[in-house]
Amino acid sequence: MAAPAVADDHDGEGAARLAEMIEGRVAGEPQSCVHMGPSTRMRIIDGTAIVIERGRTLYVNVPRDADSLDDGDAMAIRRTGSQLCRTDIITTFDRMGGFYTGNIFLGDFVPYEKVEG
C-alpha cells in the first residue's frame, strides 16, 4: 500500500514514520471534518502530517506547508463544536519558550482502517 503524498521532509524520517503507522490499513474517502471526542489522540509527524487517532481509525491530514510541522511544537486549536474541520485555525507554539511558530492550514482528513485478516 502506498503512503499518502506528503511534503519532502529533510531526511524522510517523517514519511517513514507515517508509512509505519498506516501499514496494514486501508485508506477511506477523504473527509473535511473529524469528530474530536475525549479519547481522541492527536500527533504531529515532523515535516509530514497530523495524525488523529480515534478508536481503531487513524485520520491523516497533510496540511499545506507540511514541511513546517514540528513535533516539538504545541498546538492551539480554535474550533467550534466537537469536530475539527479543514477550515479551523491551528496556531503552533514552541513548547519550551512559548513563542509563536506558525499556523497550520489543514487539508482533508483521510481515514485509515485496519484490515481484518
Side-chain angles (χ1 to χ4, degrees):
M1 164 186 2
V6 296
D8 185 25
D9 62 324
H10 301 300
D11 51 14
E13 286 182 28
R17 185 170 166 212
L18 179 60
E20 183 178 310
M21 291 176 78
I22 62 173
E23 185 176 339
R25 296 176 180 268
V26 175
E29 282 294 315
Q31 302 172 11
S32 59
C33 297
V34 64
H35 179 75
M36 299 292 286
S39 63
T40 302
R41 183 175 178 198
M42 191 170 179
R43 292 181 267 182
I44 291 177
I45 308 297
D46 268 350
T48 307
I50 295 172
V51 177
I52 298 168
E53 185 176 351
R54 287 201 63 242
R56 298 173 45 91
T57 305
L58 295 179
Y59 294 87
V60 176
N61 190 295
V62 179
R64 288 188 291 170
D65 299 326
D67 56 335
S68 67
L69 290 173
D70 184 342
D71 65 4
D73 285 344
M75 293 183 283
I77 303 169
R78 286 173 266 169
R79 61 184 167 94
T80 56
S82 62
Q83 293 190 51
L84 179 62
C85 296
R86 64 177 296 146
T87 57
D88 291 331
I89 299 169
I90 299 178
T91 303
T92 56
F93 298 88
D94 180 78
R95 286 186 196 276
M96 301 302 285
F99 56 86
Y100 168 83
T101 57
N103 290 317
I104 297 173
F105 299 97
L106 298 170
D108 283 331
F109 298 89
V110 178
Y112 284 84
E113 299 279 343
K114 283 193 174 184
V115 177
E116 297 297 323

PDB file of all heavy atoms in Angstrom, residues 82-113:
ATOM      1  N   SER A  82     -17.682  19.931  18.313  1.00  0.00           N
ATOM      2  CA  SER A  82     -16.883  18.757  18.653  1.00  0.00           C
ATOM      3  C   SER A  82     -16.090  18.200  17.477  1.00  0.00           C
ATOM      4  O   SER A  82     -15.522  17.130  17.575  1.00  0.00           O
ATOM      5  CB  SER A  82     -17.798  17.671  19.206  1.00  0.00           C
ATOM      6  OG  SER A  82     -18.735  17.287  18.208  1.00  0.00           O
ATOM      7  N   GLN A  83     -16.050  18.933  16.368  1.00  0.00           N
ATOM      8  CA  GLN A  83     -15.317  18.465  15.201  1.00  0.00           C
ATOM      9  C   GLN A  83     -14.146  19.377  14.892  1.00  0.00           C
ATOM     10  O   GLN A  83     -14.187  20.568  15.169  1.00  0.00           O
ATOM     11  CB  GLN A  83     -16.234  18.423  13.980  1.00  0.00           C
ATOM     12  CG  GLN A  83     -17.330  17.395  14.086  1.00  0.00           C
ATOM     13  CD  GLN A  83     -18.039  17.227  12.766  1.00  0.00           C
ATOM     14  OE1 GLN A  83     -17.410  17.022  11.743  1.00  0.00           O
ATOM     15  NE2 GLN A  83     -19.351  17.304  12.794  1.00  0.00           N
ATOM     16  N   LEU A  84     -13.105  18.784  14.326  1.00  0.00           N
ATOM     17  CA  LEU A  84     -12.002  19.553  13.768  1.00  0.00           C
ATOM     18  C   LEU A  84     -12.201  19.518  12.262  1.00  0.00           C
ATOM     19  O   LEU A  84     -12.350  18.443  11.674  1.00  0.00           O
ATOM     20  CB  LEU A  84     -10.650  18.933  14.143  1.00  0.00           C
ATOM     21  CG  LEU A  84      -9.412  19.634  13.596  1.00  0.00           C
ATOM     22  CD1 LEU A  84      -9.306  21.061  14.137  1.00  0.00           C
ATOM     23  CD2 LEU A  84      -8.162  18.836  13.924  1.00  0.00           C
ATOM     24  N   CYS A  85     -12.250  20.696  11.648  1.00  0.00           N
ATOM     25  CA  CYS A  85     -12.506  20.779  10.209  1.00  0.00           C
ATOM     26  C   CYS A  85     -11.358  21.480   9.500  1.00  0.00           C
ATOM     27  O   CYS A  85     -10.605  22.235  10.120  1.00  0.00           O
ATOM     28  CB  CYS A  85     -13.811  21.539   9.943  1.00  0.00           C
ATOM     29  SG  CYS A  85     -15.265  20.689  10.596  1.00  0.00           S
ATOM     30  N   ARG A  86     -11.270  21.241   8.210  1.00  0.00           N
ATOM     31  CA  ARG A  86     -10.184  21.824   7.417  1.00  0.00           C
ATOM     32  C   ARG A  86     -10.198  23.345   7.448  1.00  0.00           C
ATOM     33  O   ARG A  86      -9.197  23.969   7.141  1.00  0.00           O
ATOM     34  CB  ARG A  86     -10.204  21.284   6.000  1.00  0.00           C
ATOM     35  CG  ARG A  86     -11.432  21.654   5.211  1.00  0.00           C
ATOM     36  CD  ARG A  86     -11.381  21.168   3.789  1.00  0.00           C
ATOM     37  NE  ARG A  86     -10.295  21.839   3.116  1.00  0.00           N
ATOM     38  CZ  ARG A  86      -9.534  21.300   2.178  1.00  0.00           C
ATOM     39  NH1 ARG A  86      -9.764  20.089   1.767  1.00  0.00           N
ATOM     40  NH2 ARG A  86      -8.554  21.967   1.621  1.00  0.00           N
ATOM     41  N   THR A  87     -11.298  23.959   7.832  1.00  0.00           N
ATOM     42  CA  THR A  87     -11.379  25.419   7.906  1.00  0.00           C
ATOM     43  C   THR A  87     -10.999  25.968   9.273  1.00  0.00           C
ATOM     44  O   THR A  87     -10.912  27.184   9.454  1.00  0.00           O
ATOM     45  CB  THR A  87     -12.802  25.906   7.557  1.00  0.00           C
ATOM     46  OG1 THR A  87     -13.725  25.274   8.447  1.00  0.00           O
ATOM     47  CG2 THR A  87     -13.145  25.579   6.121  1.00  0.00           C
ATOM     48  N   ASP A  88     -10.762  25.092  10.268  1.00  0.00           N
ATOM     49  CA  ASP A  88     -10.385  25.550  11.606  1.00  0.00           C
ATOM     50  C   ASP A  88      -8.949  26.069  11.619  1.00  0.00           C
ATOM     51  O   ASP A  88      -8.120  25.680  10.784  1.00  0.00           O
ATOM     52  CB  ASP A  88     -10.532  24.417  12.626  1.00  0.00           C
ATOM     53  CG  ASP A  88     -11.987  24.061  12.869  1.00  0.00           C
ATOM     54  OD1 ASP A  88     -12.850  24.948  12.736  1.00  0.00           O
ATOM     55  OD2 ASP A  88     -12.256  22.889  13.187  1.00  0.00           O
ATOM     56  N   ILE A  89      -8.669  26.919  12.572  1.00  0.00           N
ATOM     57  CA  ILE A  89      -7.352  27.553  12.663  1.00  0.00           C
ATOM     58  C   ILE A  89      -6.526  26.860  13.743  1.00  0.00           C
ATOM     59  O   ILE A  89      -6.963  26.724  14.883  1.00  0.00           O
ATOM     60  CB  ILE A  89      -7.484  29.047  12.997  1.00  0.00           C
ATOM     61  CG1 ILE A  89      -8.272  29.756  11.895  1.00  0.00           C
ATOM     62  CG2 ILE A  89      -6.114  29.681  13.195  1.00  0.00           C
ATOM     63  CD1 ILE A  89      -8.690  31.171  12.259  1.00  0.00           C
ATOM     64  N   ILE A  90      -5.337  26.434  13.366  1.00  0.00           N
ATOM     65  CA  ILE A  90      -4.395  25.857  14.323  1.00  0.00           C
ATOM     66  C   ILE A  90      -3.160  26.750  14.346  1.00  0.00           C
ATOM     67  O   ILE A  90      -2.552  27.012  13.309  1.00  0.00           O
ATOM     68  CB  ILE A  90      -3.996  24.415  13.951  1.00  0.00           C
ATOM     69  CG1 ILE A  90      -5.229  23.513  13.944  1.00  0.00           C
ATOM     70  CG2 ILE A  90      -2.945  23.886  14.917  1.00  0.00           C
ATOM     71  CD1 ILE A  90      -4.947  22.081  13.550  1.00  0.00           C
ATOM     72  N   THR A  91      -2.813  27.208  15.524  1.00  0.00           N
ATOM     73  CA  THR A  91      -1.620  28.021  15.717  1.00  0.00           C
ATOM     74  C   THR A  91      -0.620  27.186  16.502  1.00  0.00           C
ATOM     75  O   THR A  91      -0.996  26.470  17.433  1.00  0.00           O
ATOM     76  CB  THR A  91      -1.961  29.310  16.503  1.00  0.00           C
ATOM     77  OG1 THR A  91      -2.973  30.014  15.784  1.00  0.00           O
ATOM     78  CG2 THR A  91      -0.751  30.202  16.660  1.00  0.00           C
ATOM     79  N   THR A  92       0.646  27.249  16.121  1.00  0.00           N
ATOM     80  CA  THR A  92       1.670  26.466  16.826  1.00  0.00           C
ATOM     81  C   THR A  92       2.572  27.373  17.649  1.00  0.00           C
ATOM     82  O   THR A  92       2.833  28.519  17.285  1.00  0.00           O
ATOM     83  CB  THR A  92       2.511  25.633  15.839  1.00  0.00           C
ATOM     84  OG1 THR A  92       3.092  26.490  14.866  1.00  0.00           O
ATOM     85  CG2 THR A  92       1.652  24.580  15.146  1.00  0.00           C
ATOM     86  N   PHE A  93       3.021  26.792  18.771  1.00  0.00           N
ATOM     87  CA  PHE A  93       3.890  27.488  19.713  1.00  0.00           C
ATOM     88  C   PHE A  93       5.017  26.558  20.130  1.00  0.00           C
ATOM     89  O   PHE A  93       4.814  25.357  20.265  1.00  0.00           O
ATOM     90  CB  PHE A  93       3.113  27.897  20.971  1.00  0.00           C
ATOM     91  CG  PHE A  93       2.000  28.855  20.702  1.00  0.00           C
ATOM     92  CD1 PHE A  93       0.732  28.402  20.378  1.00  0.00           C
ATOM     93  CD2 PHE A  93       2.227  30.216  20.747  1.00  0.00           C
ATOM     94  CE1 PHE A  93      -0.300  29.284  20.113  1.00  0.00           C
ATOM     95  CE2 PHE A  93       1.203  31.117  20.485  1.00  0.00           C
ATOM     96  CZ  PHE A  93      -0.063  30.647  20.174  1.00  0.00           C
ATOM     97  N   ASP A  94       6.177  27.124  20.358  1.00  0.00           N
ATOM     98  CA  ASP A  94       7.302  26.353  20.871  1.00  0.00           C
ATOM     99  C   ASP A  94       6.955  25.866  22.274  1.00  0.00           C
ATOM    100  O   ASP A  94       6.534  26.655  23.124  1.00  0.00           O
ATOM    101  CB  ASP A  94       8.559  27.219  20.909  1.00  0.00           C
ATOM    102  CG  ASP A  94       9.740  26.459  21.445  1.00  0.00           C
ATOM    103  OD1 ASP A  94      10.316  25.654  20.696  1.00  0.00           O
ATOM    104  OD2 ASP A  94      10.076  26.669  22.637  1.00  0.00           O
ATOM    105  N   ARG A  95       7.113  24.570  22.537  1.00  0.00           N
ATOM    106  CA  ARG A  95       6.775  24.003  23.854  1.00  0.00           C
ATOM    107  C   ARG A  95       7.629  24.586  24.977  1.00  0.00           C
ATOM    108  O   ARG A  95       7.141  24.768  26.084  1.00  0.00           O
ATOM    109  CB  ARG A  95       6.970  22.492  23.851  1.00  0.00           C
ATOM    110  CG  ARG A  95       5.934  21.730  23.112  1.00  0.00           C
ATOM    111  CD  ARG A  95       6.151  20.220  23.308  1.00  0.00           C
ATOM    112  NE  ARG A  95       5.428  19.453  22.337  1.00  0.00           N
ATOM    113  CZ  ARG A  95       4.162  19.109  22.452  1.00  0.00           C
ATOM    114  NH1 ARG A  95       3.485  19.479  23.499  1.00  0.00           N
ATOM    115  NH2 ARG A  95       3.565  18.390  21.511  1.00  0.00           N
ATOM    116  N   MET A  96       8.861  24.860  24.716  1.00  0.00           N
ATOM    117  CA  MET A  96       9.768  25.332  25.766  1.00  0.00           C
ATOM    118  C   MET A  96       9.632  26.835  26.013  1.00  0.00           C
ATOM    119  O   MET A  96       9.470  27.258  27.145  1.00  0.00           O
ATOM    120  CB  MET A  96      11.218  24.981  25.413  1.00  0.00           C
ATOM    121  CG  MET A  96      11.457  23.500  25.239  1.00  0.00           C
ATOM    122  SD  MET A  96      11.046  22.518  26.694  1.00  0.00           S
ATOM    123  CE  MET A  96      12.412  22.913  27.733  1.00  0.00           C
ATOM    124  N   GLY A  97       9.690  27.615  24.957  1.00  0.00           N
ATOM    125  CA  GLY A  97       9.684  29.070  25.106  1.00  0.00           C
ATOM    126  C   GLY A  97       8.316  29.709  25.027  1.00  0.00           C
ATOM    127  O   GLY A  97       8.128  30.858  25.421  1.00  0.00           O
ATOM    128  N   GLY A  98       7.349  28.980  24.488  1.00  0.00           N
ATOM    129  CA  GLY A  98       6.000  29.500  24.373  1.00  0.00           C
ATOM    130  C   GLY A  98       5.812  30.530  23.271  1.00  0.00           C
ATOM    131  O   GLY A  98       4.761  31.139  23.163  1.00  0.00           O
ATOM    132  N   PHE A  99       6.832  30.716  22.420  1.00  0.00           N
ATOM    133  CA  PHE A  99       6.698  31.711  21.360  1.00  0.00           C
ATOM    134  C   PHE A  99       6.018  31.123  20.126  1.00  0.00           C
ATOM    135  O   PHE A  99       6.076  29.934  19.869  1.00  0.00           O
ATOM    136  CB  PHE A  99       8.047  32.344  21.005  1.00  0.00           C
ATOM    137  CG  PHE A  99       9.114  31.357  20.613  1.00  0.00           C
ATOM    138  CD1 PHE A  99       9.231  30.911  19.311  1.00  0.00           C
ATOM    139  CD2 PHE A  99      10.006  30.876  21.567  1.00  0.00           C
ATOM    140  CE1 PHE A  99      10.201  30.002  18.945  1.00  0.00           C
ATOM    141  CE2 PHE A  99      10.985  29.967  21.208  1.00  0.00           C
ATOM    142  CZ  PHE A  99      11.081  29.534  19.910  1.00  0.00           C
ATOM    143  N   TYR A 100       5.345  31.990  19.400  1.00  0.00           N
ATOM    144  CA  TYR A 100       4.603  31.642  18.187  1.00  0.00           C
ATOM    145  C   TYR A 100       5.556  31.081  17.135  1.00  0.00           C
ATOM    146  O   TYR A 100       6.611  31.651  16.878  1.00  0.00           O
ATOM    147  CB  TYR A 100       3.914  32.906  17.670  1.00  0.00           C
ATOM    148  CG  TYR A 100       3.340  32.823  16.284  1.00  0.00           C
ATOM    149  CD1 TYR A 100       2.087  32.271  16.068  1.00  0.00           C
ATOM    150  CD2 TYR A 100       4.041  33.307  15.192  1.00  0.00           C
ATOM    151  CE1 TYR A 100       1.553  32.206  14.795  1.00  0.00           C
ATOM    152  CE2 TYR A 100       3.510  33.247  13.917  1.00  0.00           C
ATOM    153  CZ  TYR A 100       2.267  32.692  13.731  1.00  0.00           C
ATOM    154  OH  TYR A 100       1.738  32.628  12.469  1.00  0.00           O
ATOM    155  N   THR A 101       5.147  29.948  16.519  1.00  0.00           N
ATOM    156  CA  THR A 101       5.975  29.375  15.451  1.00  0.00           C
ATOM    157  C   THR A 101       5.253  29.292  14.117  1.00  0.00           C
ATOM    158  O   THR A 101       5.888  29.067  13.097  1.00  0.00           O
ATOM    159  CB  THR A 101       6.488  27.967  15.835  1.00  0.00           C
ATOM    160  OG1 THR A 101       5.366  27.127  16.140  1.00  0.00           O
ATOM    161  CG2 THR A 101       7.436  28.023  17.023  1.00  0.00           C
ATOM    162  N   GLY A 102       3.922  29.463  14.088  1.00  0.00           N
ATOM    163  CA  GLY A 102       3.230  29.460  12.802  1.00  0.00           C
ATOM    164  C   GLY A 102       1.771  29.073  12.895  1.00  0.00           C
ATOM    165  O   GLY A 102       1.217  28.896  13.976  1.00  0.00           O
ATOM    166  N   ASN A 103       1.167  28.946  11.727  1.00  0.00           N
ATOM    167  CA  ASN A 103      -0.216  28.491  11.589  1.00  0.00           C
ATOM    168  C   ASN A 103      -0.240  27.265  10.700  1.00  0.00           C
ATOM    169  O   ASN A 103       0.585  27.130   9.797  1.00  0.00           O
ATOM    170  CB  ASN A 103      -1.095  29.580  10.955  1.00  0.00           C
ATOM    171  CG  ASN A 103      -1.309  30.745  11.876  1.00  0.00           C
ATOM    172  OD1 ASN A 103      -1.561  30.583  13.062  1.00  0.00           O
ATOM    173  ND2 ASN A 103      -1.201  31.938  11.334  1.00  0.00           N
ATOM    174  N   ILE A 104      -1.208  26.401  10.960  1.00  0.00           N
ATOM    175  CA  ILE A 104      -1.383  25.206  10.150  1.00  0.00           C
ATOM    176  C   ILE A 104      -2.686  25.351   9.379  1.00  0.00           C
ATOM    177  O   ILE A 104      -3.731  25.621   9.968  1.00  0.00           O
ATOM    178  CB  ILE A 104      -1.416  23.944  11.030  1.00  0.00           C
ATOM    179  CG1 ILE A 104      -0.081  23.775  11.758  1.00  0.00           C
ATOM    180  CG2 ILE A 104      -1.738  22.712  10.181  1.00  0.00           C
ATOM    181  CD1 ILE A 104      -0.075  22.649  12.773  1.00  0.00           C
ATOM    182  N   PHE A 105      -2.612  25.175   8.065  1.00  0.00           N
ATOM    183  CA  PHE A 105      -3.783  25.220   7.196  1.00  0.00           C
ATOM    184  C   PHE A 105      -4.066  23.793   6.752  1.00  0.00           C
ATOM    185  O   PHE A 105      -3.344  23.238   5.924  1.00  0.00           O
ATOM    186  CB  PHE A 105      -3.527  26.147   6.007  1.00  0.00           C
ATOM    187  CG  PHE A 105      -3.246  27.558   6.442  1.00  0.00           C
ATOM    188  CD1 PHE A 105      -1.936  28.009   6.556  1.00  0.00           C
ATOM    189  CD2 PHE A 105      -4.285  28.408   6.762  1.00  0.00           C
ATOM    190  CE1 PHE A 105      -1.674  29.306   6.971  1.00  0.00           C
ATOM    191  CE2 PHE A 105      -4.031  29.704   7.185  1.00  0.00           C
ATOM    192  CZ  PHE A 105      -2.725  30.157   7.284  1.00  0.00           C
ATOM    193  N   LEU A 106      -5.089  23.209   7.333  1.00  0.00           N
ATOM    194  CA  LEU A 106      -5.398  21.801   7.155  1.00  0.00           C
ATOM    195  C   LEU A 106      -5.882  21.449   5.762  1.00  0.00           C
ATOM    196  O   LEU A 106      -6.456  22.279   5.060  1.00  0.00           O
ATOM    197  CB  LEU A 106      -6.473  21.386   8.164  1.00  0.00           C
ATOM    198  CG  LEU A 106      -6.081  21.515   9.630  1.00  0.00           C
ATOM    199  CD1 LEU A 106      -7.304  21.323  10.519  1.00  0.00           C
ATOM    200  CD2 LEU A 106      -4.985  20.528   9.987  1.00  0.00           C
ATOM    201  N   GLY A 107      -5.658  20.200   5.398  1.00  0.00           N
ATOM    202  CA  GLY A 107      -6.229  19.615   4.196  1.00  0.00           C
ATOM    203  C   GLY A 107      -7.355  18.687   4.614  1.00  0.00           C
ATOM    204  O   GLY A 107      -7.888  18.799   5.722  1.00  0.00           O
ATOM    205  N   ASP A 108      -7.720  17.742   3.756  1.00  0.00           N
ATOM    206  CA  ASP A 108      -8.743  16.758   4.106  1.00  0.00           C
ATOM    207  C   ASP A 108      -8.167  15.732   5.073  1.00  0.00           C
ATOM    208  O   ASP A 108      -6.953  15.506   5.134  1.00  0.00           O
ATOM    209  CB  ASP A 108      -9.241  16.033   2.854  1.00  0.00           C
ATOM    210  CG  ASP A 108     -10.196  16.886   2.039  1.00  0.00           C
ATOM    211  OD1 ASP A 108     -10.893  17.740   2.622  1.00  0.00           O
ATOM    212  OD2 ASP A 108     -10.247  16.690   0.810  1.00  0.00           O
ATOM    213  N   PHE A 109      -9.055  15.096   5.814  1.00  0.00           N
ATOM    214  CA  PHE A 109      -8.691  14.030   6.751  1.00  0.00           C
ATOM    215  C   PHE A 109      -8.954  12.702   6.060  1.00  0.00           C
ATOM    216  O   PHE A 109     -10.090  12.404   5.695  1.00  0.00           O
ATOM    217  CB  PHE A 109      -9.537  14.123   8.023  1.00  0.00           C
ATOM    218  CG  PHE A 109      -9.340  15.400   8.785  1.00  0.00           C
ATOM    219  CD1 PHE A 109     -10.114  16.514   8.499  1.00  0.00           C
ATOM    220  CD2 PHE A 109      -8.377  15.493   9.773  1.00  0.00           C
ATOM    221  CE1 PHE A 109      -9.942  17.697   9.195  1.00  0.00           C
ATOM    222  CE2 PHE A 109      -8.203  16.680  10.475  1.00  0.00           C
ATOM    223  CZ  PHE A 109      -8.978  17.785  10.190  1.00  0.00           C
ATOM    224  N   VAL A 110      -7.911  11.906   5.881  1.00  0.00           N
ATOM    225  CA  VAL A 110      -8.062  10.605   5.219  1.00  0.00           C
ATOM    226  C   VAL A 110      -8.081   9.522   6.301  1.00  0.00           C
ATOM    227  O   VAL A 110      -7.103   9.354   7.030  1.00  0.00           O
ATOM    228  CB  VAL A 110      -6.919  10.341   4.217  1.00  0.00           C
ATOM    229  CG1 VAL A 110      -7.076   8.964   3.577  1.00  0.00           C
ATOM    230  CG2 VAL A 110      -6.869  11.437   3.158  1.00  0.00           C
ATOM    231  N   PRO A 111      -9.214   8.806   6.421  1.00  0.00           N
ATOM    232  CA  PRO A 111      -9.290   7.741   7.434  1.00  0.00           C
ATOM    233  C   PRO A 111      -8.562   6.486   6.964  1.00  0.00           C
ATOM    234  O   PRO A 111      -8.657   6.103   5.796  1.00  0.00           O
ATOM    235  CB  PRO A 111     -10.798   7.492   7.563  1.00  0.00           C
ATOM    236  CG  PRO A 111     -11.355   7.882   6.243  1.00  0.00           C
ATOM    237  CD  PRO A 111     -10.468   8.984   5.706  1.00  0.00           C
ATOM    238  N   TYR A 112      -7.837   5.866   7.876  1.00  0.00           N
ATOM    239  CA  TYR A 112      -7.154   4.599   7.612  1.00  0.00           C
ATOM    240  C   TYR A 112      -7.665   3.575   8.614  1.00  0.00           C
ATOM    241  O   TYR A 112      -7.517   3.752   9.824  1.00  0.00           O
ATOM    242  CB  TYR A 112      -5.630   4.734   7.735  1.00  0.00           C
ATOM    243  CG  TYR A 112      -5.011   5.429   6.559  1.00  0.00           C
ATOM    244  CD1 TYR A 112      -4.961   6.820   6.497  1.00  0.00           C
ATOM    245  CD2 TYR A 112      -4.488   4.704   5.504  1.00  0.00           C
ATOM    246  CE1 TYR A 112      -4.398   7.470   5.411  1.00  0.00           C
ATOM    247  CE2 TYR A 112      -3.925   5.346   4.400  1.00  0.00           C
ATOM    248  CZ  TYR A 112      -3.885   6.726   4.371  1.00  0.00           C
ATOM    249  OH  TYR A 112      -3.336   7.347   3.287  1.00  0.00           O
ATOM    250  N   GLU A 113      -8.309   2.527   8.106  1.00  0.00           N
ATOM    251  CA  GLU A 113      -8.868   1.471   8.928  1.00  0.00           C
ATOM    252  C   GLU A 113      -7.996   0.234   8.861  1.00  0.00           C
ATOM    253  O   GLU A 113      -7.459  -0.083   7.801  1.00  0.00           O
ATOM    254  CB  GLU A 113     -10.276   1.097   8.425  1.00  0.00           C
ATOM    255  CG  GLU A 113     -11.283   2.227   8.465  1.00  0.00           C
ATOM    256  CD  GLU A 113     -11.876   2.441   9.843  1.00  0.00           C
ATOM    257  OE1 GLU A 113     -11.762   1.539  10.712  1.00  0.00           O
ATOM    258  OE2 GLU A 113     -12.443   3.519  10.044  1.00  0.00           O
TER     259      GLU A 113
END
